[in-house]
Amino acid sequence: MHIHARGLLYFDAIRRNGSIRGAARQLFIDASAVNRQLIQLEQELGLPLFERLGSGLQLTPAGELFARHATHVLQDAEWLENELDMLRGLQRGKVHVVGVESLHGALLPEVIGTMLERHPGISLQVSSASSGHIADYVASGRADVGMAFDMPQHEDVAHAASGRFRLGALVAAGHPLARRRSVTLAQCTPWPFILGTEDLASYALIQGELGALPAPPRAVVRATSVELMKRLAAAGHGIAFQTRLGLEATASAATPAARFVPLESAQGVPILGTLGIHVRSGRSLPPATAAFVECASQVIQRLAAQETRPKRR
């Protein structure tokens, strides 16, 4: 459905691809037609929207403003199309979800399975990114829904739902700490640490505790991959720090799951991470996106309730 201006479509394709040729391939039209549309749009606005660089096209300040406008208009057009489909009795739509890697092992498969059962006509696109980058995906319209732990605040991103999960020390099954009820970072320091990089939420959650240690721990690995850190901890190469989400899903006969030991601060307080579902601020969510947010919220809240439920002795 193309009830919105052609110039917005062409501009958005150029912005996403970084070139006129890339936009033309995406739109299945000739590059000269895309270029003419861009020139006409810039003439109407009286300002250049892109800088022509050797490496491609880069948004100018005017282009940044126009990009926000285009994102709002095109996403609202998607909402309208979905609403009209609902009136016609159709159950279709597409949702692009971007989430942190740790959710891909267990939580997202459950959410997606629920979506496909309840709404078989809706298609999903799922991507992975760090907590620090997911806000940009949602704010720019490159993703409809972002799911991340303790995501930095962004003025164009709204919080839709959340659940809180304990952070724990991941150790091998035979590790001396494996059978403890809880552990502090100070109690982990006799062994090497497997730490995430600064853009991972798990590192941000323990950064203050790390700074309070009498001496910095010996970090044998710094990684961007949650899966890698889990496997290294399970194999006995050090102690990693993550939530319990997806821990068992990554296990295999060759590499059993790491043991999860709840982590506490030096004051004995559980260290908690907040898993949030995020959408663009001010956006009227299309039915497909709203359905995904509802499914994800139900799964997160159920799993978060299990975290705080008293354990039987």
Side-chain angles (χ1 to χ4, degrees), residues 56-304:
L57 300 182
Q58 181 174 313
L59 288 172
T60 62
E64 295 281 358
L65 289 174
F66 194 77
R68 295 182 66 179
H69 168 70
T71 296
H72 291 190
V73 171
L74 294 176
Q75 287 190 334
D76 285 345
E78 179 189 353
W79 172 85
L80 173 61
E81 184 174 357
N82 278 273
E83 287 291 312
L84 292 174
D85 280 344
M86 295 291 284
L87 290 176
R88 298 186 192 107
L90 301 177
Q91 294 287 338
R92 67 178 187 178
K94 182 177 181 180
V95 185
H96 182 187
V97 182
V98 59
V100 291
E101 182 194 353
S102 59
L103 304 181
H104 290 238
L107 188 142
L108 271 174
E110 182 174 350
V111 174
I112 292 170
T114 303
M115 275 290 296
L116 296 179
E117 290 176 2
R118 295 181 183 176
H119 310 283
I122 294 174
S123 60
L124 300 170
Q125 178 181 342
V126 184
S127 306
S128 179
S130 66
S131 294
H133 294 108
I134 286 178
D136 292 332
Y137 276 85
V138 175
S140 66
R142 286 180 289 166
D144 300 299
V145 180
M147 298 176 66
F149 282 96
D150 299 280
M151 195 175 77
Q153 290 188 346
H154 193 293
E155 61 179 354
D156 294 323
V157 176
H159 175 88
S162 65
R164 304 196 77 190
F165 295 85
R166 291 199 70 166
L167 198 69
L170 305 187
V171 299
H175 195 280
L177 299 179
R179 297 191 178 278
R180 292 184 64 107
R181 295 175 62 89
S182 64
V183 71
T184 65
L185 277 181
Q187 292 168 335
C188 295
T189 53
W191 296 274
F193 280 19
I194 300 167
L195 296 175
T197 52
E198 284 77 3
D199 59 340
L200 293 185
S202 59
Y203 179 81
L205 287 171
I206 63 172
Q207 195 170 16
E209 296 290 320
L210 286 172
L213 294 175
R218 183 167 66 94
V220 292
V221 176
R222 296 295 299 271
T224 60
S225 170
V226 174
E227 175 67 16
L228 174 62
M229 290 188 284
K230 288 178 179 178
R231 289 185 178 275
L232 290 174
H237 297 300
I239 302 177
F241 303 94
Q242 297 291 335
T243 66
R244 201 192 309 266
L245 288 174
L247 190 58
E248 290 77 13
T250 62
S252 65
T255 307
R259 295 291 178 87
F260 177 90
V261 185
L263 193 64
E264 294 184 347
S265 69
Q267 293 73 38
V269 178
I271 298 178
L272 301 171
T274 302
L275 174 57
I277 305 173
H278 307 275
V279 297
R280 181 171 63 80
S281 298
R283 182 188 183 193
S284 297
L285 295 182
T289 303
F292 182 88
V293 169
E294 180 183 5
C295 287
S297 175
Q298 290 173 354
V299 173
I300 288 174
Q301 290 173 6
R302 176 176 57 77
L303 294 177

